[in-house]
Amino acid sequence: MILKKRLFVVMLLIGFCLTMQADKLENYLEPGLASIKPMDPYNYCKTMALPKYAGRLTGHEGYTAAAEWAAGMFCRWGLKPISQKSGYLLEYPSPYTIVDEAEMTFHLPKKSSGSEESATMDISLKLLDDFLPLLFSDSGEHTAGVVFAGWGICAPELGYDDYAGIDPAGKFVLCFRGTPDRREAGFVKHDHHRFRMNMAKSKGALGIIYIYDKPAANPNGDLVPQFTPAVISEKAADKLLAEKNITSVDLRKDLQTYKKPLSFPLNARITYRVVSRHFPEGRGYNIAGYVEGSDSKLKKECLVIGGHFDHCGAHCGLIFPGADDNASGSAVVMELAEAFSKLKKRPKRSVVFVLFGGEEMGLQGSTYFVHHLPSPFEKVDTMFNFDMEGEGDGTVCSHSPDVPGLPEVLKAADEHVGILRRTGQMRAVGVRGSDYAPFFQEGAICVAFFSNGPHLHYHLPGDTIYRINPDIMADIARLAFISSYHWANR
Ligand SMILES: [Zn+2]
């Protein structure tokens, strides 16, 4: 019995050693892999989240100073600068807005036993807990009525109009973010913040008031003159809706179930005051450097390793540090840049490291990059994107469908790391995609990583370095290093 047991253990060991040998990493990857250490990305993440960078709002001096710091790191690692003229920084126009003050008060009709409804109850909303201004709001102060308008969509081409039968002129439009039917591609353009704001403005509204489950910072829009949009919590919205004996959760459910407009005016009124400063001449920067491919032909194709460097800025006395979103992803990109810079044997294709500006404002930096591909390159073969890599204990990955060999490369790389929890296929990119979206639309192969979360402080001042797990960023960097190397070398 004991002998048999020993034999079994020996066989097990031999099996184990054989597997190890089969899976052994190529020696030439060792210097890169050895350079990936958890405290590196953690420290980059911590630096980006510093108050002096003021939440890295693209265009703002805080963003620009942080971009110069990151460019200095690319230089230190010996990456080739992306531009002969401007080095590691690629400039593009980026108007931006800083909101200094915002106050909101509800004037709710008092329930009375009689028919008179003249009495009102005033409730002041708490900034952050109850409401936030949208971070592209114009200055203004109004006391006005409110109309509830479903998803705030007017799409006659689809036979759908949330504005039918209500008059939003001179009022605030209360609505949800989203569309009546997610399967209907025609609704996608209507779900863009810019489109929805302009639609409401064209109907004479004073501002959109979005109902989110809880307020979150949102700089994804352009200033619309004399238009003051905001976001309020479901809990706050329920106070407005109480006069109709309905809750925001039930309203949303009805809209989703019946896919028909459900709009009505309210007796409640809102006073909303915003003080903001707009900077139409703002300049944004993508930060980029590369490792040249070793194949004389294939080096003109590149694999982009990117993530957004920007976040929501500092407004109304609050800083949104964006440690998880997306200092963490930027830190992984930087760690990968350093790892690739250590390699003697470079992959066949060039690998370009890009920290994008303006993602939070609507994928502006990545869109600009795709449409102004820097001259060393003729095409982007593949894009690896990193957005929110700092919270959790594993990673989720989605990638372009039907790319022979790609799932195998990812899986083989994960055998050395063991953090890939789930993979999925990108079918189409909607309004909420990250920086891979413009690459996907241009036909590049895309791979997107997200740590498995829970990302509880998404777009809130609580997204701080104290929530960041150094090991998860290093593990994601290891997985991405091995897989992107093999993919760029195919
Ligand atoms: Zn993000």
Side-chain angles (χ1 to χ4, degrees):
M1 191 64 193
I2 288 173
L3 246 182
K4 256 192 194 168
K5 209 171 182 180
R6 271 200 194 145
L7 195 65
F8 177 69
V9 170
V10 169
M11 281 173 70
L12 207 73
L13 272 174
I14 291 171
F16 182 64
C17 292
L18 281 175
T19 326
M20 286 292 286
Q21 211 159 13
D23 288 339
K24 203 169 177 304
L25 263 184
E26 294 80 355
N27 283 336
Y28 53 81
L29 291 181
E30 283 299 332
L33 211 54
S35 81
I36 298 176
K37 300 181 200 88
M39 286 316 283
D40 288 351
Y42 185 81
N43 285 326
Y44 306 147
C45 192
K46 193 171 170 182
T47 298
M48 285 176 245
L50 286 174
K52 69 173 173 179
Y53 297 135
R56 307 182 309 285
L57 183 71
T58 317
H60 184 264
E61 59 195 29
Y63 178 92
T64 307
E68 280 162 1
W69 163 80
M73 299 302 278
F74 279 8
C75 179
R76 184 198 284 188
W77 296 321
L79 296 192
K80 287 196 168 214
I82 198 77
S83 160
Q84 285 194 334
K85 237 169 76 194
S86 62
Y88 298 98
L89 297 179
L90 294 171
E91 189 181 291
Y92 68 92
S94 180
Y96 69 99
T97 300
I98 299 286
V99 182
D100 293 315
E101 290 173 43
E103 282 175 343
M104 190 181 277
T105 306
F106 289 169
H107 313 286
L108 305 175
K110 249 188 191 165
K111 276 185 187 152
S112 58
S113 47
S115 57
E116 280 177 39
E117 286 216 342
S118 56
T120 59
M121 181 170 65
D122 291 348
I123 297 178
S124 300
L125 273 70
K126 236 177 121 188
L127 187 79
L128 196 63
D129 288 349
D130 302 324
F131 86 104
L132 273 175
L134 287 185
L135 303 176
F136 44 87
S137 177
D138 196 1
S139 295
E141 181 169 2
H142 298 281
T143 297
V146 190
V147 287
F148 174 76
W151 308 105
I153 288 177
C154 171
E157 74 280 13
L158 299 167
Y160 187 93
D161 187 3
D162 281 317
Y163 286 100
I166 53 166
D167 180 14
K171 296 182 182 138
F172 291 104
V173 170
L174 182 68
C175 68
F176 294 108
R177 166 107 200 263
T179 70
D181 191 348
R182 272 204 242 158
R183 290 160 307 172
E184 172 54 68
F187 279 123
V188 171
K189 75 167 185 191
H190 295 271
D191 199 21
H192 284 276
H193 296 296
R194 286 171 175 82
F195 197 94
R196 193 180 268 115
M197 300 298 144
N198 286 317
M199 177 61 72
K201 175 69 184 172
S202 74
K203 294 187 178 289
L206 297 174
I208 287 253
I209 298 184
Y210 274 135
I211 307 171
Y212 283 12
D213 53 351
K214 57 181 181 179
N218 179 358
N220 187 357
D222 298 320
L223 179 134
V224 177
Q226 293 158 356
F227 193 74
T228 51
V231 48
I232 61 173
S233 67
E234 279 175 355
K235 235 170 124 186
D238 287 350
K239 290 183 178 139
L240 288 174
L241 295 166
E243 61 174 277
K244 301 283 185 211
N245 286 320
I246 192 158
T247 65
S248 45
V249 169
D250 285 344
L251 253 182
R252 191 196 278 116
K253 220 182 275 166
D254 284 349
L255 285 162
Q256 284 165 336
T257 306
Y258 303 111
K259 302 182 176 29
K260 293 271 180 259
L262 185 61
S263 305
F264 46 82
L266 287 161
N267 292 316
R269 293 169 70 76
I270 292 179
T271 298
Y272 185 35
R273 185 179 78 89
V274 185
V275 179
S276 67
R277 287 172 288 144
H278 186 55
F279 299 89
E281 306 298 330
R283 309 299 294 171
Y285 299 93
N286 290 324
I287 307 118
Y290 68 102
V291 168
E292 193 170 51
S294 57
D295 183 282
S296 59
K297 272 196 191 129
L298 288 175
K299 72 178 183 185
K300 298 211 165 74
E301 293 184 5
C302 62
L303 184 146
V304 170
I305 289 185
H308 73 90
F309 192 67
D310 70 311
H311 193 57
C312 302
H315 309 262
C316 301
L318 304 167
I319 297 182
F320 297 86
D324 184 38
D325 184 13
N326 186 34
S328 66
S330 299
V332 170
V333 171
M334 291 175 77
E335 192 64 356
L336 287 165
E338 191 192 7
F340 270 89
S341 75
K342 296 274 190 285
L343 295 178
K344 295 244 155 41
K345 183 178 178 314
R346 289 172 281 124
K348 290 177 190 162
R349 288 175 185 77
S350 297
V351 183
V352 188
F353 302 90
V354 195
L355 301 169
F356 297 107
E359 193 266 359
E360 304 288 9
M361 296 165 156
L363 311 181
Q364 291 182 335
S366 49
T367 302
Y368 191 88
F369 187 89
V370 166
H371 295 149
H372 302 83
L373 190 64
S375 58
F377 310 109
E378 283 168 3
K379 88 176 236 211
V380 175
D381 170 73
T382 300
M383 199 269 176
F384 273 50
N385 192 62
F386 300 86
D387 196 350
M388 303 211 287
E389 315 295 345
E391 292 187 31
D393 64 354
T395 190
V396 176
C397 166
S398 65
H399 57 75
S400 300
D402 312 318
V403 183
L406 179 63
E408 291 77 8
V409 163
L410 290 164
K411 222 178 129 218
D414 191 50
E415 273 164 27
H416 301 280
V417 192
I419 53 152
L420 198 51
R421 299 284 181 267
R422 216 169 56 239
T423 56
Q425 297 197 336
M426 291 172 190
R427 283 290 163 200
V429 291
V431 178
R432 291 163 209 234
S434 182
D435 289 308
Y436 57 84
F439 291 89
F440 188 88
Q441 276 155 351
E442 289 295 307
I445 298 164
C446 291
V447 182
F449 293 92
F450 315 88
S451 68
N452 60 349
H455 311 294
L456 286 179
H457 293 253
Y458 178 75
H459 285 214
L460 292 172
D463 181 3
T464 62
I465 188 66
Y466 306 109
R467 302 189 50 79
I468 299 299
N469 173 353
D471 292 316
I472 183 73
M473 289 187 291
D475 280 344
I476 291 171
R478 289 185 187 104
L479 170 64
F481 175 68
I482 302 166
S483 55
S484 63
Y485 183 97
H486 289 307
W487 193 246
N489 199 41
R490 75 194 193 280

